[in-house]
Amino acid sequence: ARQTNRLEVKLHIYQAAYEKHPTNTIVLYVLAYTYLMDASASTLSEAEKLLQAAIEKRPQFADAYVALGVCYAAQGKAEASVEAYQKSVQLNPNLWEAHLELGNYYRDQKNYQEAIEYYTKSLAQHPKDATTHFHLGTMYRKIGNLEAAREAFSQAIKHDKKYADAYYQLGQIYALQQQPDDALKQYRKGRELNPNNASARYQLAHILLDQGDERNAILALRSALAADTAYAEYADLLENASTARATEIMAQILQERPDNADLQYFAG
């Protein structure tokens, strides 16, 4: 309903149900969850009250604790959100949503090992969730486990063939493993799905350049410029350019348009 801008329809239905059944735990939960999806300050406050009421009626309501954790997190109450997630896991260890939210919390805290643990637990219960595989891949990359990251990004793609960012990330892993042909292959797939992601292409260019693969780095940089609306007019200048010529072109671009940190780094 939120994705199709029809959340008010759900609110109307659940508010009517709440008027008739103000103590029903499921009614309390679904109305609270709908307020939670709206995510304004006032509706978050309403969601919190309703979820607490649902939990008071049914103390073993693990799903309500997950929603309460999300509600606290949206209000900036990090410690309270973690306590709610952990309570839900105690009540139902198989509740993958709780493990996922705990993984997200530890990811944001830069506690990557803890995040990996909870993402793995989430996937044990919900193995086809492409987004969780993607998050797991980013965590493995953070700790330098490129093989595990590669597998996680591959799993994300397996379960969502249109996951453009997963193709881009997998391409970067291949580049870090010095497999430029495989890297460019994954990038081509990502570009088909999301042709406007200039940032991912700059990142690939940096990786290839740092490894001394200047030819492919220039190709990736040209692709990045083509996707960057502020610099697209310069992309064709790099076609078939040698390293020396590319350096001259970059110096020329930066004289005219200096506000590009990626290009400044590449030129340096």
Side-chain angles (χ1 to χ4, degrees):
R2 181 177 64 176
Q3 291 171 353
T4 56
N5 295 317
R6 299 179 63 195
L7 204 58
E8 289 185 4
V9 176
K10 292 290 185 184
L11 275 174
H12 176 74
I13 294 169
Y14 294 143
Q15 285 168 342
Y18 177 65
E19 289 176 6
K20 294 180 179 179
H21 308 283
T23 61
N24 183 288
T25 53
I26 296 300
V27 172
L28 289 166
Y29 173 73
V30 294
L31 178 57
Y33 203 90
T34 309
Y35 279 132
L36 182 58
M37 292 300 98
D38 185 58
S40 66
S42 60
T43 56
L44 286 173
S45 178
E46 285 299 315
E48 181 181 343
K49 293 176 185 177
L50 290 164
L51 289 167
Q52 289 173 339
I55 290 168
E56 184 177 347
K57 288 287 181 182
R58 189 190 298 177
Q60 305 301 309
F61 200 167
D63 293 86
Y65 276 105
V66 178
L68 186 60
V70 174
C71 186
Y72 284 142
Q75 293 173 306
K77 303 174 182 177
E79 291 184 6
S81 71
V82 172
E83 289 178 6
Y85 297 143
Q86 289 174 337
K87 180 65 175 179
S88 69
V89 169
Q90 291 172 9
L91 294 169
N92 183 0
N94 297 326
L95 201 58
W96 66 268
E97 295 96 328
H99 292 298
L100 173 60
E101 294 296 347
L102 282 165
N104 291 340
Y105 169 78
Y106 285 111
R107 174 200 63 196
D108 295 343
Q109 296 297 311
K110 294 182 170 51
N111 189 336
Y112 303 130
Q113 289 289 2
E114 284 288 329
I116 287 170
E117 178 182 342
Y118 282 106
Y119 285 142
T120 302
K121 287 180 178 179
S122 179
L123 287 168
Q125 303 300 325
H126 196 55
K128 295 183 179 181
D129 188 71
T131 301
T132 307
H133 282 292
F134 181 85
H135 290 329
L136 183 60
T138 61
M139 294 301 95
Y140 276 126
R141 180 175 174 179
K142 288 287 187 182
I143 66 172
N145 190 337
L146 298 184
E147 278 299 320
R150 188 165 106 178
E151 175 60 21
F153 291 130
S154 296
Q155 286 295 315
I157 292 166
K158 176 183 176 181
H159 297 298
D160 184 355
K161 303 295 186 189
K162 296 183 179 181
Y163 205 149
D165 286 345
Y167 286 108
Y168 283 128
Q169 286 292 329
L170 184 57
Q172 289 181 31
I173 297 299
Y174 278 124
L176 289 166
Q177 294 180 320
Q178 299 188 347
Q179 300 178 54
D181 291 341
D182 290 325
L184 294 173
K185 180 181 177 181
Q186 296 302 322
Y187 258 66
R188 281 192 287 270
K189 292 178 181 177
R191 187 173 59 196
E192 290 172 6
L193 296 165
N194 182 7
N196 300 318
N197 191 334
S199 176
R201 300 187 210 181
Y202 281 124
Q203 290 168 12
L204 179 62
H206 295 329
I207 292 170
L208 293 169
L209 184 65
D210 290 344
Q211 292 177 340
D213 187 350
E214 296 170 358
R215 183 181 68 85
N216 283 317
I218 292 168
L219 289 175
L221 179 63
R222 183 186 173 211
S223 178
L225 292 174
D228 189 337
T229 54
Y231 290 83
E233 63 187 282
Y234 299 105
D236 287 343
L237 296 176
L238 289 174
E239 185 174 8
N240 299 321
S242 65
T243 302
R245 177 57 183 152
T247 305
E248 294 173 357
I249 292 167
M250 282 184 283
Q252 172 191 336
I253 296 171
L254 288 168
Q255 278 187 335
E256 299 173 10
R257 306 286 295 278
D259 298 328
N260 185 322
D262 290 294
L263 198 58
Q264 293 278 11
Y265 175 84
F266 200 96

